[in-house]
Amino acid sequence: MTKIALLGFGTVGRGLYNILKEKKELLNSLDINIEISKILVRNLSKYKDIDKNLLTNDYNDIYLDKDIDIVVEMTGDVENSYIYIKKALENGKDVVSSNKAVVSKYFEELMEISQDKGRLFLYEASVGGTIPIVREVKSLSLFNNINKIYGVLNGTCNYILYNMFENNKDYAEVLKEAQEKGFAEHDPTDDVKGFDMRRKLRILMSIICKGKITEDAIEVFGLDKINKIDVSYLSGNYRVKEVCLGQKSGDNYVCIIEPCLFKKDEDLARLEGAYNMVEIYGDYFEKITLKGPGAGSLPTASAVLQDIIDVIKKNDIRVYGGNDLVNFNDNFEGQYYLRTSGDFPEDFVEREEIYKGQKIIFTKKIKRSDFLNLIKDKDAFFARCIN
């Protein structure tokens, strides 16, 4: 019997609890016997349908309990979660986390502690929802040189952009709808500004490059400046997606998150709803594509359970390293769509027109760093042109 403790009983924690209850007989038949011993919550009186003997608001009841094998961290907190995870690992427990903020901020330290203590620290659900992207990247990195990872890693962003283009809704309307459906937080800043995707790309590229890539080293431009003028102008032939790009060449890397402009018949352009989709490129394969739900209670809980099973089966691949890496973001070049009310140097303009009182510009190929410095309009929106 494997005894686990749940830290947090919100959307993901409740989802995991329900899956374990529903699939108990099936898991037992596969010799996977999981028992929830404790659930850490803030308010002990809130959960009337849960056995009160399972609930605690004191973490000492968990990390000091020698019978608990795995701590499953599913809070939205950073600093307390860091303390919880660190104490659990140091006290000989394996840890599973769906919290990308704490995994990203303390990635190297927590991996080092887990290795020193001979414990497993798994975090699949913190990156791609149901997409097994971490597992795939670890496995491929054993013998492949992964030179590029590329795609949509935020279900909220995709839900907003999909509905703006396909259902002709404005940004505020779709954001409110996403919040009501549980695809977006009450404060959506991390999602729409690209910070959530930055944490995920930081984790993946640190694995791929076998070295430390900090969040600050990743260039980010969110989707929150897009409006109905952009959608009206582009929707006949194009779609916009908020895309993460990680490229590696030797010890040089590029990590950028920004809106991208696709012809509407391309695979990423057709990505629907709150789905994620990632393409991986490497030496011995042209492209591997992973696609699946990127948000929601059960999709994330499903990924958490897979990590729990991997811990029970002692199934993990360690591919971390201390390579010295060089950031090449400033040398990255592209062509851009720009909607602005300000001026932009003619030398870098391929074509320009006025549409609904705004300048619509398609640039020539230009260094991204130069392009950003030339934009003077704080309300401008841009997207990098793909193909």
Side-chain angles (χ1 to χ4, degrees), residues 193-204:
K193 291 283 191 181
F195 303 147
D196 174 85
M197 210 182 303
R198 177 171 64 183
R199 295 177 185 123
K200 296 171 180 178
L201 185 61
R202 174 273 202 268
I203 294 167
L204 292 173

Side-chain angles (χ1 to χ4, degrees), residues 108 202 205-206 209 211-215 217-218 253 255 325:
E108 285 77 20
R202 174 273 202 268
M205 284 299 288
S206 293
C209 295
K212 184 176 182 178
I213 296 176
T214 65
E215 291 182 20
I218 299 176
Y253 70 90
C255 286
L325 304 173

Side-chain angles (χ1 to χ4, degrees), residues 135-349:
R135 197 171 290 109
E136 193 71 17
V137 164
K138 285 181 180 179
S139 178
L140 291 170
S141 293
L142 282 175
F143 58 90
N144 264 286
N145 173 38
I146 297 177
N147 50 59
K148 179 178 173 182
I149 187 165
Y150 174 72
V152 173
L153 271 177
N154 184 278
T156 302
C157 288
N158 199 62
Y159 184 88
I160 291 170
L161 291 170
Y162 176 82
N163 280 282
M164 288 185 73
F165 276 85
E166 304 305 329
N167 297 319
N168 196 32
K169 296 181 178 181
D170 66 32
Y171 175 83
E173 179 185 5
V174 180
L175 176 57
K176 182 179 179 183
E177 184 180 295
Q179 289 169 326
E180 289 172 349
K181 292 186 175 182
F183 294 144
E185 301 292 339
H186 176 71
D187 179 359
T189 302
D190 280 3
D191 291 318
V192 301
K193 291 283 191 181
F195 303 147
D196 174 85
M197 210 182 303
R198 177 171 64 183
R199 295 177 185 123
K200 296 171 180 178
L201 185 61
R202 174 273 202 268
I203 294 167
L204 292 173
M205 284 299 288
S206 293
I207 297 170
I208 289 169
C209 295
K210 299 180 178 65
K212 184 176 182 178
I213 296 176
T214 65
E215 291 182 20
D216 290 341
I218 299 176
E219 299 273 346
V220 180
F221 186 81
L223 61 84
D224 53 314
K225 299 295 185 182
I226 194 170
N227 63 30
K228 294 199 80 170
I229 295 176
D230 302 301
V231 175
S232 175
Y233 182 83
L234 295 169
S235 60
N237 298 304
Y238 300 100
R239 295 293 181 268
V240 174
K241 299 292 183 183
E242 183 81 358
V243 170
C244 66
L245 168 68
Q247 289 182 336
K248 172 179 172 288
S249 177
D251 290 329
N252 302 330
Y253 70 90
V254 169
C255 286
I256 294 171
I257 293 161
E258 63 186 357
C260 289
L261 189 63
F262 296 87
K263 292 179 181 177
K264 68 179 184 180
D265 59 347
E266 295 194 22
D267 288 344
L268 271 170
R270 298 198 305 269
L271 187 66
E272 68 277 8
Y275 271 63
N276 286 351
M277 180 173 171
V278 184
E279 297 174 353
I280 308 170
Y281 298 79
D283 283 347
Y284 298 117
F285 54 90
E286 181 179 348
K287 178 174 71 174
I288 292 174
T289 301
L290 301 173
K291 175 183 174 183
S297 169
L298 294 179
T300 308
S302 174
V304 170
L305 179 53
Q306 184 60 63
D307 269 351
I308 293 171
I309 293 171
D310 279 347
V311 170
I312 293 170
K313 300 296 185 182
K314 303 299 180 188
N315 181 26
D316 184 34
I317 299 170
R318 296 184 182 271
V319 289
Y320 314 102
N323 290 343
D324 292 325
L325 304 173
V326 181
N327 188 321
F328 256 57
N329 286 344
D330 285 345
N331 295 300
F332 184 79
E333 295 182 336
Q335 290 181 279
Y336 287 87
Y337 160 88
L338 172 66
R339 186 259 307 147
T340 182
S341 59
D343 295 325
F344 194 82
E346 292 183 4
D347 290 348
F348 299 102
V349 175

